[in-house]
Amino acid sequence: MTVHLVDHNLSDSAVARAARVSTVGQTHKTALDGPREDSDRDAGLIGYLMRERHGSPFEHGSLTLYVEAPIFVFREWQRHRIASYNEESARYRELRPDFYLPPVDRPLVQVGKPGAYTFESGTDEQLATVDTELVAAYRAAYQAYERMLAAGIAREIARAALPVGIYSSMYVTMNPRGLMNFLSLRTHREGAAFVSHPQREIEMCAEKAEAIFADLMPVTHAAFQANGRVAP
Amino acid sequence: MTVHLVDHNLSDSAVARAARVSTVGQTHKTALDGPREDSDRDAGLIGYLMRERHGSPFEHGSLTLYVEAPIFVFREWQRHRIASYNEESARYRELRPDFYLPPVDRPLVQVGKPGAYTFESGTDEQLATVDTELVAAYRAAYQAYERMLAAGIAREIARAALPVGIYSSMYVTMNPRGLMNFLSLRTHREGAAFVSHPQREIEMCAEKAEAIFADLMPVTHAAFQANGRVAP
Amino acid sequence: MTVHLVDHNLSDSAVARAARVSTVGQTHKTALDGPREDSDRDAGLIGYLMRERHGSPFEHGSLTLYVEAPIFVFREWQRHRIASYNEESARYRELRPDFYLPPVDRPLVQVGKPGAYTFESGTDEQLATVDTELVAAYRAAYQAYERMLAAGIAREIARAALPVGIYSSMYVTMNPRGLMNFLSLRTHREGAAFVSHPQREIEMCAEKAEAIFADLMPVTHAAFQANGRVAP
Amino acid sequence: MTVHLVDHNLSDSAVARAARVSTVGQTHKTALDGPREDSDRDAGLIGYLMRERHGSPFEHGSLTLYVEAPIFVFREWQRHRIASYNEESARYRELRPDFYLPPVDRPLVQVGKPGAYTFESGTDEQLATVDTELVAAYRAAYQAYERMLAAGIAREIARAALPVGIYSSMYVTMNPRGLMNFLSLRTHREGAAFVSHPQREIEMCAEKAEAIFADLMPVTHAAFQANGRVAP
């Protein structure tokens, strides 16, 4: 799975700037050209905003990512509505035969009941079953797809045969607040204030997105983590 | 495909009531208990709101539908963000072997270039190809899925083999404005002010949703149609 | 201040119904006509959804309120974007001379620094000052407004003189999730997981809205309270 | 009124890039480092997206503006929900005595009925009435405000006296699609496909925002204008 940074205008100082309009108001315009607030004050303010759930200052900016992942991951991701998406279209183009296989360290066995599953590693035999069955199903599906296309059938019909394990690609744009909400629900990390149960595959994408976020907004990311990974 | 009405509190008079607060204001509260505005005046007001793109009065109410459709239809539907969704989970339950096959009158052949496709009926041979290939791919995928489940593999992994032509089910809730926006993009009808190119399968669902809407809000639906099927 | 129930289709059972589509799926349609789930099971499910932050099942329905409050309250309320509003228009009609005066038990004195204010009761003298000054300012503003209207000036210009303490009226529609988010930020209650600092006037409206909500969805409301008043 | 560009990452090429993922898909990643698409092809694509109402490619980026305007303008602006706001707080700080007076060329007289008003210039006497009455009301309100603050009354109470003609300040962030929607409703321009009736004061702000937008995304802006100023 791939998560690349495409474009952004994020910064910790933009959060502090937006928040200060509350208390500084019309004189703020002057401050735009004046000396920068020192970053220690910014960090204190950002921590306060996060703890007190003042979410709006975390919305002034956007992050665009290019993502390649299986359709079943995109199905979960695109349920997040405070975000913008453009995805490769299987109506407009022929999809390529790229399919998802679980990495060898992916736990394969689900234990427990809905809403409280835990996972355990599979046996070697189970891992072999997954590989064999997925590869065979993927191959059969793609061959059927190609034969339909060769027979002149429209792509949008032929694609019905394709599995949700096939890779797609998209651009996704979020603001920092929306991204933190996404991370709070799609990762399962130490220090989180509540337990989330993301599927491992979207979590792998979310972790890549989080690394990019932490690099671009280190103070905001640290405050998010310190606040139990709850979006403000 | 199935689109059932589950719950709603829609009415044409609610649109008129919300709009009149603009001009009637605080005396309106009294009007709640007074004689109803006559429906001719409501119709005139609703037509005016639609033409002038006063959208907010069309937001006070909600419609909940139960939908069964293939995953490739849900993938398009759930891109509409002014709506609420709960869908059957292939992480939590085993999906049933219900798959989509195009009806015999579904045009199968795509002509033209991206963004301006038209469709033509396929030959009998092409129709047979679609049926044969889809059924074979569906069967292979579902057998692989069942063998993985039988081997103790987690549902969320085994489902990677399942095709986007498998049926899923969901509740979707929209307000009238969101629904009209959905209809404007996902149907292709006489009288529309702009040309949309929905895939036929989501259009079949949208037509069912539109029939429910037209029944519950006949005045609003007529104004939507008269206005070129553009949401206000 | 006035908060009246205008229309709704809320119920606790609708939350449970929407959530169960995840695990029951396509067989659910049958359940619609079958025996109702017992309410104890619903309550357990709703508590689980709230704790685990499964928010989407709380979105299938809507509540429409009619509200009369001063403009400074509406200014705060309308910042909540997952909601629908129609408000009396000072462009389209002449506003009436109804103005807000703090009730005698409204604490008048602000202590502390931004973000951590507390309030204390004022002296009798301070209360008298508030009454005298507000009434005088309101009267002067309204007289100027009327003189401009009498001189033929457009309402949308003359209204610039009117204070934010003047009453306006609106319809507001929210789903239960949006309403809980609103309540979590605009009330200050025992048992809340984080401290909010709403202005007392919007809190008075929020308390009225909460009473209506608690009456219509008692199980959901109890779970919201038990969960520290954090929206799911 | 003031509308300043604070930050942005907008470009016409970002629209084309996001749109092309539909048809180019996974090979697109490579294209990021390859030769740029030529701008003529971008312009053709952007025009097509606008005409066909493919709105999502216009969402990948954000524009942050700093705005100073009277409260009655902010009241209209903040009803646009696909946007992010942080505004000067009259709970946290003392507002300054800056008030709106109509410029001499502002038409003062409203003719017609609700929803179809036109405006005409006022007489010299009417202009004098507006100036006299507004200044007197503003002065009386601000003096009452200052006396309450001097008596130790909380800012959030004392501000009830302040008129909606007082200036406030905010940061607002929008993506290009949201901005075009705002412009379509809050300006009244030649070539528009439908007639909007914005109040002149918010239109003055919208025109400033449009000039910034046209400068940053000239191709998108031209397509918006050519398409009757309807957001995609």
Side-chain angles (χ1 to χ4, degrees), chain D residues 125-211:
Chain D
E125 194 174 3
Q126 284 175 317
L127 183 58
T129 297
V130 167
D131 281 351
T132 305
E133 294 293 350
L134 284 182
V135 168
Y138 290 160
R139 191 179 302 277
Y142 201 77
Q143 288 174 340
Y145 178 62
E146 285 192 306
R147 282 190 296 258
M148 285 187 276
L149 295 183
I153 306 303
R155 285 185 290 270
E156 70 183 33
I157 295 173
R159 57 104 166 245
L162 294 176
V164 297
I166 198 170
Y167 274 83
S168 183
S169 59
M170 69 168 174
Y171 289 105
V172 53
T173 295
M174 291 174 155
N175 66 40
R177 188 184 193 181
L179 178 60
M180 286 187 280
N181 183 264
F182 173 76
L183 296 176
S184 77
L185 291 163
R186 303 299 185 180
T187 62
H188 180 86
R189 290 284 184 84
E190 285 295 313
F194 78 99
V195 181
S196 55
H197 302 283
Q199 181 159 343
R200 179 60 192 145
E201 280 75 19
I202 194 169
E203 189 182 40
M204 284 156 57
C205 290
E207 289 171 353
K208 291 174 193 281
E210 183 163 357

Side-chain angles (χ1 to χ4, degrees), chain C:
Chain C
M1 278 174 274
T2 299
V3 178
H4 281 159
L5 175 61
V6 174
D7 194 14
H8 83 96
N9 66 337
L10 303 186
S11 70
D12 287 319
S13 61
V15 177
R17 180 179 61 200
R20 287 204 176 95
V21 79
S22 296
T23 49
V24 180
Q26 297 165 42
T27 61
H28 193 60
K29 147 189 67 168
T30 325
L32 290 177
D33 306 315
R36 292 280 295 278
E37 298 286 341
D38 68 87
S39 56
D40 281 359
R41 282 191 56 204
D42 280 6
L45 176 57
I46 287 169
Y48 162 80
L49 296 170
M50 194 77 70
R51 285 192 305 277
E52 300 275 314
R53 286 183 56 204
H54 290 293
S56 52
F58 297 98
E59 298 179 14
H60 301 279
S62 81
L63 173 74
T64 298
L65 303 172
Y66 171 79
V67 184
E68 292 181 10
I71 283 176
F72 67 84
V73 169
F74 280 16
R75 292 250 292 146
E76 296 186 329
W77 196 324
Q78 293 172 354
R79 294 289 300 278
H80 293 258
R81 289 160 293 185
I82 316 291
S84 297
Y85 303 98
N86 277 93
E87 185 184 344
E88 183 178 352
S89 167
R91 299 183 67 200
Y92 289 172
R93 71 183 303 274
E94 182 178 338
L95 297 194
R96 301 195 312 180
D98 293 340
F99 299 95
Y100 176 74
L101 289 176
V104 291
D105 60 348
R106 165 61 157 107
L108 297 176
V109 179
Q110 194 177 29
V111 181
K113 59 177 187 169
Y117 292 126
T118 56
F119 280 84
E120 298 175 0
S121 301
T123 61
D124 288 352
E125 195 175 4
Q126 284 175 317
L127 184 58
T129 298
V130 167
D131 282 351
T132 305
E133 294 294 350
L134 284 181
V135 168
Y138 289 160
R139 191 178 301 278
Y142 201 76
Q143 288 174 339
Y145 178 62
E146 285 193 306
R147 281 191 296 259
M148 284 186 276
L149 295 182
I153 305 304
R155 287 186 288 270
E156 68 183 35
I157 294 172
R159 58 108 162 241
L162 294 175
V164 295
I166 198 169
Y167 273 83
S168 184
S169 59
M170 69 168 174
Y171 289 106
V172 54
T173 294
M174 289 174 157
N175 67 40
R177 187 185 194 181
L179 179 60
M180 287 187 278
N181 183 264
F182 173 76
L183 296 176
S184 76
L185 291 164
R186 302 300 184 179
T187 61
H188 180 87
R189 290 284 186 83
E190 284 295 314
F194 78 100
V195 181
S196 56
H197 302 284
Q199 180 158 346
R200 179 60 193 146
E201 280 74 20
I202 193 168
E203 188 183 40
M204 285 155 55
C205 290
E207 288 170 354
K208 291 174 193 280
E210 183 163 357
I212 292 169
F213 171 55
D215 189 51
L216 299 175
M217 299 182 77
V219 176
T220 299
H221 181 260
F224 170 63
Q225 177 65 25
N227 200 46
R229 302 178 66 76
V230 177

Side-chain angles (χ1 to χ4, degrees), chain B residues 184-205:
Chain B
S184 75
L185 291 163
R186 302 299 184 178
T187 61
H188 180 86
R189 291 285 185 83
E190 284 295 313
F194 78 101
V195 182
S196 54
H197 303 283
Q199 181 159 344
R200 180 60 193 146
E201 281 73 20
I202 194 168
E203 188 182 41
M204 284 155 56
C205 291

Side-chain angles (χ1 to χ4, degrees), chain D residues 94-115:
Chain D
E94 182 178 336
L95 297 195
R96 301 195 311 180
D98 293 340
F99 299 95
Y100 176 73
L101 289 176
V104 290
D105 59 348
R106 167 60 158 109
L108 296 176
V109 179
Q110 196 175 28
V111 181
K113 60 177 188 169

